[in-house]
Amino acid sequence: MYQQERTLLKGVFSVRKGKTQLHKWAERQVILCGTCLIVASVKDCLTGKMHILPLVGGKVEEVKRRQHCLMFSSPGPQAQTYFVNFDTLADYQRWHRQATKVVSQTISMVDLSCYSLEEVPEYLFYSQDITHLNLRHNFMSLKGPGGLLNLPRFSQLKSLNLSHNRLGVFPESVCEILTLTELNLSCNGLKAVPTQIGNLQSLQTLSLDGNYLSSLPEELGSLAQLNSLGLSFNNFPHIPGVLDRLNGVDRLAMAGNRVETLELSTLARMSHLKNIDLRLNGLRSVRAEALEALKQVIQLDLRDNLLTSLDLSSACSLETLYCQRNQLGALTLSGFTLRTLHASSNRLTTVNIYPVPNQLTQMDLSRNLLDYLPDWVCDSRKIEVLDVTHNVLSELPARLLSSLSLRKLLAGNNGLQRLPDLLDHVPLEALDLQHNKLGELPESLFYKALNLKYLNVSANALETIPPSSQSEESLSTLQELYLTGNNLNENCAALLVGHQNLRVLHMAYNQLLSFPASKLSKLELLEELNLSGNKLKTIPSTVSSCKRLHTLTAHSNHISVFPEILNLPEIKLVDLSCNELTEILLPDSLPATLHELDLTGNSSLMLEHKTLNMFSHITTLKLDQKPAMTTGDSLGSSCLWNHGYSEMSGQRNKLCVSVMAVDRFGDSAEAAYGIFDGDRNEEVPRLLQCTMGDVLSEELLHSNIDSVYMSNTFLTSHRKLGMAGQKLGASALLCYIHHEPSEPGGYFSVTVANVGSCQAVLCRDGQPLPLSKVFSLEQSAEEMERVKLSKAIITEDNKVSGVTCCSRLLGCSYLSPWVLPKPWVRTEPLCSQDDFLILGNRALFERVSYQEAVCTVQAVREPRAAAKKLCTLAQSYGCRDNVGVAVVSLNIGEDSCTCDQPMANNVTDPRVPPPTPLPISAPPGDPATPSSSSGIASEFNSETSASEVGSEAGSTASDEHPSSGSAARPERHCSLHPAAILFLFQRQPSCATFSSNQSDNGLDSDDEAPLEGVISNGSKLEVEVDIHCCAFQIRSGAPESPKDNDLDKTRSDYPNGKMRRQNSVVVSSTNGCLLAVCAREISDLKKSPSTSSLFGKKLSNGSVVAPEDSHNLIEVALEAPKKKSGYFTAPAQQDPEDQLVVPPSLEHDVREQLRGQSPVVPGPPASVTDRMDMWGFDTSRKCVSSK
């Protein structure tokens, strides 16, 4: 596409290469593109071999001995030449005129970054007009025709970027380019700067960040024009003395060095330095000599050091101070010119500033130990923003709320019991008082603070709210009101009517029995309404008057009637889970804007086929699955643990967090749970969600050492991210509940591994026990030191190269070795005092503390409702990002399990009954809901992301096969956990997406029955079901005979499982899911070049990788072409020719294997499958159904 945009001329002409007659004339495609002439084959002009001839500085000459012929030559002594013979005089003149312009062009800026170059292309040396050359992120060498020793040949060069080239030594040849004004040699492992640097008298900017420098030559002080010097992330033990002479440098950039003591007298001598950056230095003390003023410094950055006290009273011109994340117990400043103070995350009990800082506009003192606010805070005349959250304040000064300048006050997470009354009108616009002990708000709050637009008083003890005005007419401008977690009742609704500009209203988890209909109709501008966790039996019909409403969340109530919200023109998200809905009355059409509807947890809800058809366009439809319970289920692991999860997008446009939950992982006494947070990308979390369990399952075959199999799981998943993992990444946490390998009959343990900021908390005896480690630069001193030692550039917002604040992630390969995929691994034995596990992403635990999270789940108990509540609380506390939570309830008592020693896999116990078939057919009244043992939601999705394709095709753990000597893990049996006869898998439904499409002679015909488990209304409907858990099944021993081997090759994706085809829907007894995939799709995939890697990957260089049993399906997902309605479109009626033919040599073996096994599902009627036997064979074509 880029080449097409730059194409100037194009045609097919006779071409000859070279000035000699050795080459013959041939017809070729000729393109004048940008500044180059491209000669290519006519047949394969875009995919075949292309010859590119740079023309800038070259020649275009007329060939007189041949009519309408031009000679194109590149610049330089080894110039290449092409002769092009044009058909007409018009073509000849057009090409001659255009090419002459190109040849006469001058190039001033050349960007060759990230090309893995070792030398500069030689033809560039003949262009003497280059002034800017970017060679960043290459492997440049010193010697060679295009090596760095030849860079002085660029006589006009002004800017040179050689950062990230691993040079090891300073290239002295660069000091011979006397025209340089800008030089970047960052991240090259340099240990010294040569004295020849003094030759660059024109140099204005010098970047030496990310090296191993500990000193600078005195010759550097002679660079009179130098005004910017970057020395961050080196090994300087003190401020270099040569800076005394660099009068043009006004900013000292020395973050990430080894300066432990700062002498203010040193800074006083360097009177030209105004901005000092000494972050991340391990600074322990700042010393000031008596009566010596520091007059020139206006900004000082001392973040992330080890300071215990700081006295900057001598810095009389200081305007901005950053000293967050130190260990400060005392802080003394001069207030003459102070404008901004950031001192959060310290141990401050008071702050001394003299004189009163009348220029101060913004102050952040959050996360300290303040029990009162100094008087000078109220005396400050211009303060606009004050943040004192997470302190121990018991009251606020009366004068503070009456300030005529304060616009934003954040005082949450303190111990405030009351607020002072407002005496006069104030300009306050935002007030955050969450997590205090407030029993009431000032009566005059709303009509004295007429500019108030944001109020958050969640998690208090409010029983009522103040009126909006003293009269019937209200002047309130309030737009966002958060009242979650109080003791409010329905009487408060009448007090909300005056806030007619209200856009966001959160009243979750109060004592509302109803919401008056007449009051709700007055809130016409309402856009987001959250009434979850109350005792509502209905949502008033007057909600239809809120025409701008786009989000309605009312889960965990007693609502039995579906609200009249589907006529709202802008409705996007409706969450009515965990209620008592019985039916849904739908309008004639649904709004096109509705993209998420959550109806899980409504046990009495029965949806008709027509209703589900109307929901077909909804991107995410969450419904309860109706599991078919068997004896194995009732006695299996479901009595030991069960889970619930919730994913909420918040105010983001996309959901970038995913949850994995498998209650029955491997055998009946294991489980696996995970959470993945991509921050700003949704691709990597989905890929990990779909495949990481399979990877863990395979790694468990190779090792039973927790650190080994968990580390290998993370590293393999990281590798299998393929191209998606180059620039995108995600935090990941994986929990694996199992018996200890050394004591198979003993108690359970949980093994937790994580990278990034996702966390796991275990509730033990009512108290939180963190099981994970947060790999954030701000929260892990070890990781910060490691990243510093590897010479990463950490930006001012504490992000590696400005990309991520995490030092360990899956993905982001281009940030290696700074960001690694190696996980933290911990195994904790479980006991009867362990109640539940909480898995959450960064957004959850930033807003909800461990203790509050544990108390919340204890109060709710039901895992799904608890997960919903945690997400709702995080959003009501101010979280605007994606929130993901999984709650795993544990019922492990001291007598929970007395498993016997594992039995050999090749021993058959005649007392064990044969496997019981699973009734897969959908229950009456719910024909569209696939079965699963989890009982969690099934999602219907009409958009398929690249990550979901990896799941659709089926994924494996790695590209390597298990060693032949490695035995599979044996089954375990005990009185509580009998031999597992069927394995159903519980994972969140957003794992895979398949679509069913009605054929021309489909369900409209009266002689055909509807497909079980597949909804069809003449349009595509994509049903999200859980199909990628095949590797989670119990791992049996080696096949007993070669016949078993042959069969395993035929059905390798379904170990220990039986398959049959029923109305073109593949049914697997192993995972209890309906897979709407047919053989036609697989054959189409084989033909498609974009997905050919499933069956033999064609690489960019033309080579083909032989097909393997284990494919890197994530790479396939990335390369698969996106269709608007999904990747896999299955016909509603199976075509007999869509089946896979069994080779004659295997037919007998397959039939012998299948003859001895029981059918999984009752066969379809003979009228439908008159050409198929009971196991999916086409009796006329020797076929067997396959995935």
Side-chain angles (χ1 to χ4, degrees):
M1 187 68 182
Y2 180 64
Q3 176 179 316
Q4 293 177 357
E5 293 176 354
R6 301 185 63 201
T7 298
L8 302 176
L9 294 172
K10 182 178 180 181
V12 178
F13 309 108
S14 295
V15 178
R16 194 190 78 194
K17 181 180 180 182
K19 297 182 178 180
T20 65
Q21 301 295 327
L22 297 178
H23 297 87
K24 297 182 179 179
W25 290 89
E27 194 175 64
R28 292 288 183 264
Q29 176 94 327
V30 184
I31 303 172
L32 185 61
C33 179
T35 60
C36 298
L37 185 75
I38 301 175
V39 180
S41 168
V42 176
K43 183 178 181 182
D44 301 318
C45 60
L46 296 179
T47 60
K49 184 177 180 181
M50 295 187 296
H51 298 270
I52 301 177
L53 191 71
L55 294 178
V56 176
K59 297 179 181 179
V60 176
E61 298 178 351
E62 178 184 0
V63 180
K64 295 183 179 180
R65 63 179 181 273
R66 194 175 183 94
Q67 189 178 18
H68 304 156
C69 184
L70 291 175
M71 181 185 71
F72 298 86
S73 301
S74 61
Q78 299 180 354
Q80 294 183 348
T81 302
Y82 280 91
F83 292 88
V84 181
N85 198 82
F86 298 94
D87 299 328
T88 64
L89 177 63
D91 286 340
Y92 167 81
Q93 292 176 339
R94 187 183 306 113
W95 279 76
H96 192 193
R97 182 171 57 252
Q98 192 68 47
T100 301
K101 293 180 181 179
V102 173
V103 169
S104 61
Q105 285 182 9
T106 60
I107 296 181
S108 60
M109 303 179 67
V110 176
D111 187 353
L112 295 175
S113 59
C114 305
Y115 276 103
S116 299
L117 297 177
E118 295 183 3
E119 297 183 355
V120 177
E122 191 173 354
Y123 66 84
L124 285 179
F125 290 111
Y126 299 99
S127 180
Q128 295 301 314
D129 300 303
I130 295 178
T131 58
H132 294 72
L133 180 60
N134 186 356
L135 297 172
R136 182 178 61 93
H137 272 294
N138 284 292
F139 303 94
M140 301 302 298
S141 60
L142 293 174
K143 301 180 180 179
L148 299 183
L149 293 177
N150 290 313
L151 288 183
R153 294 170 60 182
F154 292 108
S155 59
Q156 303 296 324
L157 196 61
K158 293 183 179 180
S159 175
L160 176 61
N161 189 340
L162 287 171
S163 62
H164 297 274
N165 270 278
R166 305 180 184 180
L167 298 177
V169 295
F170 194 109
E172 296 182 6
S173 57
V174 171
C175 300
E176 301 175 15
I177 311 176
L178 304 182
T179 55
L180 276 181
T181 61
E182 181 179 355
L183 176 61
N184 190 337
L185 286 167
S186 301
C187 301
N188 275 296
L190 307 181
K191 296 181 180 180
V193 177
T195 57
Q196 291 89 334
I197 191 71
N199 297 338
L200 303 178
Q201 291 297 313
S202 300
L203 200 62
Q204 299 176 13
T205 301
L206 177 60
S207 299
L208 298 171
D209 308 284
N211 288 292
Y212 296 93
L213 302 174
S214 58
S215 62
L216 294 175
E218 289 297 323
E219 287 76 6
L220 188 65
S222 64
L223 303 183
Q225 297 189 40
L226 192 66
N227 55 44
S228 177
L229 177 61
L231 301 176
S232 297
F233 301 99
N234 279 280
N235 297 335
F236 290 99
H238 50 76
I239 299 176
V242 70
L243 286 170
D244 286 346
R245 299 160 54 195
L246 295 174
N247 295 324
V249 177
D250 62 355
R251 183 174 187 270
L252 176 64
M254 287 189 61
N257 280 276
R258 299 179 179 179
V259 180
E260 294 188 2
T261 302
L262 174 61
E263 298 287 351
L264 294 183
S265 59
T266 302
L267 295 180
R269 291 197 308 268
M270 304 175 183
S271 58
H272 48 86
L273 292 179
K274 297 181 180 180
N275 189 331
I276 310 295
D277 183 3
L278 290 172
R279 297 175 294 121
L280 300 163
N281 265 275
L283 200 62
R284 295 182 179 274
S285 64
V286 177
R287 300 175 183 174
E289 295 184 5
L291 304 178
E292 185 173 2
L294 185 64
K295 298 180 180 180
Q296 82 281 4
V297 175
I298 61 175
Q299 179 170 322
L300 181 59
D301 193 342
L302 301 175
R303 283 176 286 184
D304 298 285
N305 283 293
L306 302 175
L307 297 171
T308 56
S309 64
L310 183 59
D311 185 350
L312 294 175
S313 55
S314 62
C316 55
S317 299
L318 189 65
E319 296 180 2
T320 302
L321 173 64
Y322 297 94
C323 56
Q324 305 99 303
R325 292 177 297 278
N326 278 274
Q327 301 171 16
L328 294 175
L331 177 61
T332 304
L333 302 174
S334 170
F336 285 109
T337 58
L338 190 65
R339 297 177 181 274
T340 305
L341 172 60
H342 296 274
S344 62
S345 302
N346 282 286
R347 302 171 183 174
L348 295 172
T349 56
T350 186
V351 178
N352 298 312
I353 301 181
Y354 182 84
V356 173
N358 286 322
Q359 303 299 319
L360 185 66
T361 60
Q362 182 176 354
M363 182 167 63
D364 182 1
L365 297 175
S366 61
R367 299 186 183 275
N368 280 285
L369 302 176
L370 299 174
D371 57 4
Y372 72 95
L373 288 181
D375 292 337
W376 59 260
V377 176
C378 303
D379 295 333
S380 183
R381 300 175 182 176
K382 294 185 179 181
I383 189 166
E384 297 181 0
V385 179
L386 176 61
D387 187 351
V388 289
T389 58
H390 292 277
N391 279 279
V392 289
L393 299 173
S394 57
E395 62 178 359
L396 293 177
R399 292 189 298 154
L400 182 64
L401 287 179
S402 300
S403 170
L404 298 179
S405 61
L406 189 63
R407 299 183 181 276
K408 184 175 183 179
L409 174 61
L410 308 178
N413 295 91
N414 281 282
L416 302 178
Q417 297 182 4
R418 62 177 300 274
L419 286 183
D421 291 330
L422 300 181
L423 302 178
D424 203 350
H425 292 283
V426 294
L428 195 64
E429 297 178 1
L431 179 60
D432 190 340
L433 297 169
Q434 61 175 292
H435 284 91
N436 281 287
K437 301 176 182 179
L438 298 174
E440 61 179 2
L441 294 175
E443 186 76 11
S444 59
L445 176 63
F446 291 126
Y447 52 85
K448 290 292 186 181
L450 293 178
N451 292 333
L452 191 64
K453 294 180 173 59
Y454 174 95
L455 175 62
N456 194 331
V457 287
S458 300
N460 279 283
L462 299 177
E463 296 183 356
T464 186
I465 58 175
S468 59
S469 66
Q470 293 177 300
S471 61
E472 294 184 1
E473 184 179 357
S474 174
L475 300 177
S476 171
T477 59
L478 191 66
Q479 297 181 4
E480 298 183 46
L481 178 58
Y482 298 87
L483 300 169
T484 296
N486 284 282
N487 298 318
L488 304 175
N489 56 34
E490 56 275 8
N491 296 329
C492 294
L495 301 173
L496 297 173
V497 175
H499 303 292
Q500 297 185 1
N501 294 305
L502 207 59
R503 295 188 297 104
V504 178
L505 175 60
H506 282 223
M507 296 187 69
Y509 297 98
N510 280 281
Q511 305 296 324
L512 300 181
L513 298 176
S514 64
F515 200 103
S518 60
K519 310 304 179 184
L520 184 59
S521 63
K522 301 293 183 62
L523 303 178
E524 297 180 353
L525 301 182
L526 201 61
E527 299 177 5
E528 179 180 334
L529 177 61
N530 194 326
L531 298 173
S532 303
N534 285 285
K535 301 176 182 179
L536 300 177
K537 295 184 178 180
T538 182
I539 301 293
S541 59
T542 52
V543 71
S544 59
S545 62
C546 304
K547 299 299 183 182
R548 297 188 181 182
L549 190 69
H550 59 71
T551 300
L552 174 63
T553 307
H555 63 77
S556 307
N557 280 285
H558 305 294
I559 299 173
S560 58
V561 179
F562 195 84
E564 299 179 13
I565 55 174
L566 297 181
N567 288 319
L568 296 177
E570 298 183 17
I571 191 70
K572 296 180 180 179
L573 185 151
V574 179
D575 186 351
L576 292 172
S577 58
C578 302
N579 277 288
E580 300 173 3
L581 293 175
T582 56
E583 62 178 350
I584 300 178
L585 299 178
L586 297 178
D588 295 336
S589 61
L590 297 181
T593 57
L594 183 61
H595 67 77
E596 182 172 345
L597 176 60
D598 191 346
L599 299 175
T600 57
N602 291 278
S603 57
S604 302
L605 181 62
M606 303 295 290
L607 297 181
E608 298 179 354
H609 192 82
K610 178 182 178 181
T611 302
L612 291 173
N613 283 343
M614 291 192 67
F615 287 158
S616 62
H617 81 279
I618 301 178
T619 303
T620 305
L621 172 62
K622 300 179 181 179
L623 297 174
D624 278 329
Q625 295 185 0
K626 304 298 188 294
M629 295 296 293
T630 66
T631 304
D633 288 323
S634 61
L635 295 177
S637 61
S638 59
C639 62
L640 294 177
W641 48 70
N642 64 304
H643 77 274
Y645 77 95
S646 178
E647 302 166 343
M648 294 186 179
S649 59
Q651 297 187 10
R652 299 270 295 278
N653 293 326
K654 57 183 179 180
L655 184 64
C656 300
V657 61
S658 299
V659 175
M660 182 193 83
V662 188
D663 283 340
R664 307 191 69 178
F665 181 87
D667 60 31
S668 60
E670 293 183 355
Y673 306 96
I675 186 167
F676 316 102
D677 186 358
D679 191 22
R680 299 290 176 179
N681 79 88
E682 59 185 341
E683 292 83 0
V684 173
R686 292 291 185 183
L687 293 172
L688 295 174
Q689 174 198 46
C690 295
T691 59
M692 205 162 183
D694 295 341
V695 178
L696 174 61
S697 180
E698 182 165 323
E699 294 300 335
L700 287 170
L701 299 176
H702 301 282
S703 175
N704 58 10
I705 302 174
D706 55 0
S707 60
V708 174
Y709 64 72
M710 276 299 190
S711 295
N712 288 343
T713 296
F714 276 67
L715 294 175
T716 301
S717 300
H718 172 79
R719 176 179 57 83
K720 293 176 73 65
L721 287 175
M723 293 300 297
Q726 290 295 317
K727 291 190 176 181
L728 303 178
S731 298
L733 181 141
L734 200 59
C735 290
Y736 172 46
I737 302 177
H738 57 94
H739 284 286
E740 281 296 331
S742 59
E743 299 180 14
Y747 296 111
F748 290 97
S749 295
V750 57
T751 297
V752 177
N754 79 288
V755 294
S757 55
C758 293
Q759 302 180 58
V761 178
L762 174 67
C763 175
R764 171 166 291 175
D765 201 17
Q767 298 299 317
L769 175 63
L771 299 179
S772 53
K773 181 177 180 179
V774 180
F775 287 102
S776 169
L777 295 183
E778 293 183 357
Q779 300 184 45
S780 176
E782 297 177 2
E783 287 299 295
M784 177 69 82
E785 188 63 25
R786 180 186 65 80
V787 174
K788 284 174 56 180
L789 290 176
S790 60
K791 299 306 174 184
I793 302 299
I794 302 174
T795 52
E796 293 182 353
D797 52 358
N798 270 344
K799 291 186 176 181
V800 180
S801 295
V803 176
T804 175
C805 61
C806 296
S807 60
R808 299 197 187 186
L809 290 174
L810 294 186
C812 286
S813 302
Y814 77 107
L815 293 177
S816 178
W818 310 317
V819 177
L820 301 176
K822 183 180 179 181
W824 160 273
V825 181
R826 172 176 176 175
T827 296
E828 182 71 22
L830 297 176
C831 61
S832 58
Q833 286 77 34
D834 297 331
D835 294 333
F836 49 83
L837 274 168
I838 303 175
L839 281 61
N841 69 332
R842 172 190 54 82
L844 173 72
F845 290 111
E846 276 186 351
R847 300 289 177 174
V848 182
S849 66
Y850 293 154
Q851 188 63 55
E852 184 179 4
V854 165
C855 293
T856 298
V857 178
Q858 284 178 324
V860 178
R861 303 305 298 177
E862 203 281 317
R864 175 167 46 197
K868 287 277 186 182
K869 183 173 182 179
L870 287 173
C871 285
T872 298
L873 291 181
Q875 291 183 340
S876 293
Y877 296 163
C879 177
R880 301 178 184 271
D881 288 335
N882 296 165
V883 186
V885 182
V887 176
V888 183
S889 177
L890 302 174
N891 301 298
I892 300 175
E894 295 183 359
D895 56 348
S896 291
C897 181
T898 55
C899 292
D900 302 326
Q901 292 294 329
M903 295 182 294
N905 287 325
N906 56 357
V907 177
T908 303
D909 190 346
R911 295 172 294 178
V912 178
T916 304
L918 169 68
I920 292 293
S921 58
D926 193 14
T929 308
S931 297
S932 170
S933 67
S934 65
I936 59 175
S938 172
E939 298 182 8
F940 296 82
N941 195 313
S942 59
E943 292 181 3
T944 307
S945 65
S947 60
E948 292 167 330
V949 179
S951 166
E952 292 162 7
S955 60
T956 55
S958 66
D959 294 337
E960 295 81 15
H961 297 281
S963 59
S964 59
S966 176
R969 292 172 57 139
E971 298 184 33
R972 303 188 182 102
H973 307 284
C974 70
S975 57
L976 183 63
H977 310 127
I981 57 179
L982 181 66
F983 299 96
L984 303 179
F985 295 94
Q986 306 180 44
R987 185 183 289 185
Q988 71 297 340
S990 57
C991 300
T993 302
F994 293 89
S995 62
S996 61
N997 187 20
Q998 184 178 356
S999 58
D1000 294 337
N1001 57 349
L1003 296 178
D1004 294 335
S1005 176
D1006 295 332
D1007 58 349
E1008 290 183 290
L1011 302 183
E1012 291 184 291
V1014 176
I1015 312 163
S1016 180
N1017 63 345
S1019 62
K1020 293 181 181 178
L1021 174 64
E1022 297 167 357
V1023 184
E1024 287 204 6
V1025 293
D1026 189 4
I1027 62 97
H1028 61 279
C1029 308
C1030 304
F1032 295 159
Q1033 299 144 18
I1034 188 167
R1035 297 167 281 276
S1036 61
E1040 297 180 2
S1041 65
K1043 295 180 180 180
D1044 296 335
N1045 285 324
D1046 294 337
L1047 182 61
D1048 287 344
K1049 294 178 181 178
T1050 308
R1051 51 172 188 169
S1052 60
D1053 287 334
Y1054 295 87
N1056 298 331
K1058 306 172 186 177
M1059 293 180 54
R1060 60 160 300 165
R1061 189 178 300 277
Q1062 180 180 4
N1063 291 359
S1064 81
V1065 179
V1066 178
V1067 182
S1068 169
S1069 70
T1070 321
N1071 62 2
C1073 296
L1074 301 178
L1075 316 185
V1077 179
C1078 68
R1080 174 181 295 171
E1081 298 158 355
I1082 299 177
S1083 62
D1084 291 342
L1085 284 175
K1086 291 183 178 180
K1087 298 175 184 178
S1088 172
S1090 61
T1091 55
S1092 61
S1093 54
L1094 280 169
F1095 310 96
K1097 181 177 176 66
K1098 184 175 181 181
L1099 303 180
S1100 57
N1101 60 3
S1103 63
V1104 177
V1105 178
E1108 301 175 324
D1109 291 340
S1110 298
H1111 306 292
N1112 196 334
L1113 297 173
I1114 295 180
E1115 295 182 1
V1116 180
L1118 295 170
E1119 298 174 3
K1122 288 191 176 182
K1123 296 181 181 179
K1124 191 171 185 179
S1125 59
Y1127 289 97
F1128 293 88
T1129 305
Q1133 181 68 20
Q1134 168 71 15
D1135 192 325
E1137 296 185 357
D1138 288 340
Q1139 305 173 29
L1140 302 181
V1141 178
V1142 176
S1145 60
L1146 297 181
E1147 177 187 353
H1148 182 266
D1149 294 336
V1150 173
R1151 286 185 176 275
E1152 286 294 323
Q1153 282 289 327
L1154 296 178
R1155 186 173 291 116
Q1157 302 187 28
S1158 302
V1160 182
V1161 208
S1167 61
V1168 180
T1169 57
D1170 52 359
R1171 290 186 58 196
M1172 300 177 64
D1173 66 16
M1174 65 183 297
W1175 286 109
F1177 279 99
D1178 188 328
T1179 55
S1180 64
R1181 292 196 56 197
K1182 302 178 182 179
C1183 298
V1184 65
S1185 61
S1186 175
K1187 181 180 175 183

